[in-house]
Amino acid sequence: MSTQTETIRRITVPQIARRKGGTPIVSLTSYHAHTAAIVDKYADFILVGDSLGMVMHGMDSTVGVPLDLMIMHGQAVVRGTKKALIVVDMPFGTYEESPNMAFRNAAKIMKETHCGAVKLEGGARMAETIRFLTERGIPVMAHIGLTPQSSHVMGGFKTQGRDEDSWPLHEADAKAVAEAGAFAVVLEGMVEPLAAKITKQIDIPTIGIGASAECDGQILVLEDMLGMNPWTPKFVKVYGSLGPMIEKAVSDYATEVKDRSFPSEDEIYR
Ligand code: KIV
């Protein structure tokens, strides 16, 4: 069968899974076609994270992010990319109630965005759902440790595992999601030795964010590492200073408009 559309060969879920213990996996979040096109050249997978609620839409947590917003940003990122695996976050309230509900919403995300996988938060408590989805054709990336959608229960965005007595629970979460069929797991906001220990214990890749350099890969929120947010978490290395650059460009423009030095049409197009 021939089609008019360009054939796109993306990195696949099994290829990511096989990177366990190998070349570290590079990943970033992205929410738009234009930034995703740049990230696509370097990332193995791109996460359309529900952090977009806070980063792009000014919300104070990810709890209020609606499914349709994730789908709209997911579509933009898929359109802007050719190579990376695209993973879309399932937002709060779209998967926790039952495996059936999770399947309905994950299938909607995959059908409407054409992404390659979904991500959901939770360890042992989500294992049954992860198994249900993967057995029915939906690849799942898990997310344990600091799970922002549960920040109200956790009492804020707190690094996990500071108390060594809590380590067995996190280790059990990692083991449960791996056994349930998740192809990778994000370890967020977790003390370094615990994240390193979990990475050695399970046979799926761990993707660290504020966790350990020993993880099988790393992820950062793009706008954080570009220096676009006035506040970034302590663990984020900032690689750019786009916030001040944008401000300077906007201020130069405003000055030119106000003092009438803004170029006229014939000067611009000459
Ligand atoms: O929503 C998000 O951006 C995430 C990453 C921080 C892993 O879940």
Side-chain angles (χ1 to χ4, degrees), residues 4 47 71 90 97 153 159 167 171 185 191 209 219 225 229 236 244 247 252 264:
Q4 298 295 317
L47 173 69
I71 290 175
M90 298 196 70
E97 201 176 306
V153 175
T159 301
W167 286 18
E171 290 173 55
V185 57
V191 293
I209 173 163
I219 186 163
M225 62 88 87
N229 295 329
V236 174
E247 177 149 3
D252 288 352
S264 56

Side-chain angles (χ1 to χ4, degrees), residues 177-188:
V177 299
E179 283 174 2
F183 70 94
V185 57
V186 170
L187 308 183
E188 178 169 359

Side-chain angles (χ1 to χ4, degrees), residues 7-131:
T7 308
I8 291 182
R9 287 196 204 289
R10 292 179 182 276
I11 294 175
T12 63
V13 161
Q15 284 171 332
I16 296 288
R18 283 198 296 269
R19 296 271 289 274
K20 175 74 193 174
T23 310
I25 298 164
V26 178
S27 60
L28 282 163
T29 63
S30 188
Y31 317 128
H32 315 101
H34 55 21
T35 53
I38 299 169
V39 172
D40 192 42
K41 296 182 192 162
Y42 305 96
D44 297 302
F45 77 85
I46 296 176
L47 173 69
V48 184
D50 64 350
S51 53
L52 64 81
M54 299 170 78
V55 175
M56 298 297 310
H57 294 273
M59 298 177 178
D60 59 7
S61 83
T62 56
V63 170
V65 174
L67 183 61
D68 287 348
L69 195 62
M70 294 307 304
I71 290 175
M72 198 172 282
H73 284 281
Q75 288 167 338
V77 169
V78 169
R79 275 187 220 115
T81 54
K82 292 181 178 156
K83 186 204 95 209
L85 171 72
I86 309 300
V87 182
V88 176
D89 252 341
M90 298 196 70
F92 179 69
T94 65
Y95 61 93
E96 302 88 334
E97 201 176 306
S98 68
N100 284 322
M101 179 209 213
F103 182 81
R104 244 188 334 273
N105 288 322
K108 182 174 165 73
I109 291 174
M110 294 199 65
K111 276 170 184 267
E112 294 184 19
T113 67
H114 301 149
C115 69
V118 298
K119 176 167 83 58
L120 54 80
E121 296 183 7
R125 70 186 161 86
M126 292 313 304
E128 185 194 349
T129 296
I130 293 171
R131 189 178 306 284

Side-chain angles (χ1 to χ4, degrees), residues 34 53 70 72 99 147 154 160-161 190 204 212 215 231 252 257:
H34 55 21
M70 294 307 304
M72 198 172 282
T147 46
M154 290 177 151
Q160 303 295 298
M190 189 179 272
I204 58 170
S212 168
C215 289
W231 177 87
D252 288 352
V257 171

